Amino acid sequence: MSTSSKPLSVAVIGAGMAGRSHAAGYRNVNTVFGAGLPPVRLAAIADAHVELGEDAARRYGYEKALASWEAVAEDPTIDAVSIVVGNHLHRPIAEALVAAGKHVLCEKPLAGSLEDARAMAELERATDVVTAVGYTFRRSPAIAGIRDHVRNGELGDLTLFSGRYWCDYATDPNGPLSWRFKGGPGSGALGDVGAHVIDAAEYVAGPIAAVSGASLSTQITKRPLPLGAVVGHNAAPVSDEFGEVENEDTASFTARFESGLVGTFSLSRTAFGLPNGLAFDVLGLGGRAAFDQHRPAEYVLDDAQPEARTRGARQIIAGPQLPYFAGGYPMEAPGVGGGNAEMFTYQARAFLDQVAGVADPRPACATFADGLRTMEIIQAVVESSRNGGTGVAVPSAR
């Protein structure tokens, strides 16, 4: 149970699609996983695009919209904050919030550069406030269920992890040159969607030791400059002027896990017809499991059944037998859940449970140190690509 009934005051910096997901998550935290969390005050949403912030505050019931992140940092009544803006802004905002004594949940990837990520991990080590990074797929009942199969040895010794994240948000060559297309190699598809599948791989199958065979490529090398603010992956009015795309549209690499397991990874933001295609297969000597975010309320399991007359792959429908489901859905029945919004709610609840000191059997949020580790793997992939695919070691898991 919580040690205090004093309301927790929360704010979100960034009113785009991911920012709204955080905003909705905080709004719903007291509807999941029982009592114990103090009342939550929805204090503010901050965005330099004032109209966007005002709309998000209205839709999700926040008290006000603010025009700058600095206003959040300066407000002594705000306790916990989500950072959901361009990657290069994560470090200065996190530093200001922590200096103001606020708890911080930062979207992935942790920072715009490895140097900034290291500084943020050091900041975490030096502070008493709660710091976390947003790996929402750790909250998927299906993925957590697969992880349990692996940890319980039900798939036997693992032999292969094959992960992919294929998206199509950058297939239009007339899409505006937003911040997502800036930042240099590793900050494109690899950092944007690759961060999620890399974290999911380590979450399910253990630490990665080295990468090799990396290749990064950019299919659309120039994009038109926007005439105004660009929200998320949305289309926007553009000018006749074009600017250079600085990062990759696609990436692939292989990995060796510390256990000896082999991994293959494929990432793309120009995968036509695939709006949000995180998927993976994990294979062992005694079984296999597979997940596809396009069918998030289920997974495939094929394990050894020596007593069975028939054997083969079977569909496991997410239900109360899986982590997060019981207590996480209004209708606790198989086949009714698995959406993206719920994962943000579960993540927000875990974060605020940590802030409030609520005992929770579910895993705590990923840390800034976890976010740094993902970025170290991304940097190793970039180095492998620069050196013709040669192997690059990854620092040992902390």
Side-chain angles (χ1 to χ4, degrees):
M1 296 291 290
S2 169
T3 58
S4 172
S5 61
K6 178 180 179 290
L8 278 173
S9 180
V10 301
V12 177
I13 298 173
M17 60 182 187
R20 292 175 184 229
S21 298
H22 280 255
Y26 288 125
R27 182 178 183 176
N28 291 318
V29 288
N30 268 309
T31 69
V32 298
F33 307 138
L37 190 66
V40 174
R41 172 187 167 228
L42 306 177
I45 294 181
D47 200 293
H49 187 340
V50 176
E51 289 184 3
L52 187 70
E54 290 175 343
D55 180 67
R58 175 190 61 79
R59 288 180 61 180
Y60 298 104
Y62 284 69
E63 293 176 4
K64 59 188 174 182
L66 299 171
S68 70
W69 65 262
E70 289 90 347
V72 174
E74 293 164 3
D75 187 337
T77 71
I78 294 174
D79 302 307
V81 184
S82 280
I83 301 173
V84 201
V85 292
N87 304 334
H88 67 287
L89 295 173
H90 290 183
R91 177 184 175 182
I93 295 176
E95 289 176 338
L97 293 174
V98 169
K102 303 185 191 304
H103 308 280
V104 178
L105 171 58
C106 183
E107 254 304 327
K108 61 81 219 163
L110 180 61
S113 69
L114 189 57
E115 177 185 1
D116 282 356
R118 286 172 175 154
M120 291 175 70
E122 184 58 40
L123 177 71
E124 178 176 69
R125 285 190 286 271
T127 186
D128 292 328
V129 300
V130 175
T131 49
V133 64
Y135 286 125
T136 49
F137 287 102
R138 292 190 178 197
R139 306 293 163 179
S140 159
I143 291 176
I146 291 173
R147 183 180 190 239
D148 286 347
H149 289 302
V150 170
R151 290 197 162 193
N152 294 338
E154 296 169 55
L155 306 186
D157 292 337
L158 298 186
T159 58
L160 177 67
F161 180 95
S162 179
R164 53 210 177 274
Y165 206 149
W166 297 338
C167 298
D168 63 0
Y169 68 79
T171 53
D172 183 0
N174 293 314
L177 187 70
S178 70
W179 63 267
R180 294 180 186 278
F181 301 99
K182 299 290 185 178
S187 65
L190 184 55
D192 187 17
V193 296
H196 270 309
V197 74
I198 290 169
D199 182 72
E202 292 205 309
Y203 184 68
V204 169
I208 290 171
V211 301
S212 60
S215 178
L216 310 184
S217 64
T218 306
Q219 286 77 58
I220 301 172
T221 58
K222 293 184 178 182
R223 291 184 174 272
L225 302 181
L227 292 174
V230 180
V231 180
H233 301 317
N234 295 343
V238 295
S239 74
D240 294 331
E241 270 189 89
F242 282 71
E244 298 287 337
V245 173
E246 298 175 355
N247 51 30
E248 70 285 347
D249 289 329
T250 62
S252 63
F253 64 96
T254 61
R256 178 176 53 80
F257 290 72
E258 289 185 3
S259 65
L261 173 68
V262 173
T264 66
F265 294 80
S266 175
L267 314 159
S268 178
R269 62 188 183 193
T270 52
F272 186 87
L274 295 170
N276 190 35
L278 181 145
F280 65 82
D281 296 82
V282 57
L283 292 83
L285 295 176
R288 67 181 179 91
F291 172 80
D292 188 335
Q293 178 59 19
H294 289 153
R295 301 178 67 90
E298 65 185 61
Y299 64 95
V300 171
L301 181 67
D302 185 357
D303 56 356
Q305 302 172 69
E307 304 300 325
R309 294 178 60 195
T310 60
R311 57 178 294 181
R314 59 193 187 276
Q315 178 191 44
I316 308 298
I317 301 295
Q321 83 281 12
L322 295 182
Y324 301 108
F325 203 101
Y329 291 91
M331 185 179 290
E332 291 185 9
V336 301
N340 193 60
E342 288 89 356
M343 291 190 290
F344 277 94
T345 296
Y346 304 158
Q347 175 179 265
R349 176 63 189 255
F351 174 55
L352 294 186
D353 278 346
Q354 289 175 255
V355 169
V358 176
D360 187 348
R362 290 165 292 274
C365 287
T367 63
F368 281 7
D370 294 324
L372 169 60
R373 175 163 180 80
T374 303
M375 292 199 64
E376 289 173 335
I377 295 170
I378 288 170
Q379 182 60 35
V381 173
V382 171
E383 290 179 17
S384 174
S385 175
R386 285 173 174 163
N387 295 319
T390 57
V392 179
V394 174
S396 297
R398 294 166 179 80

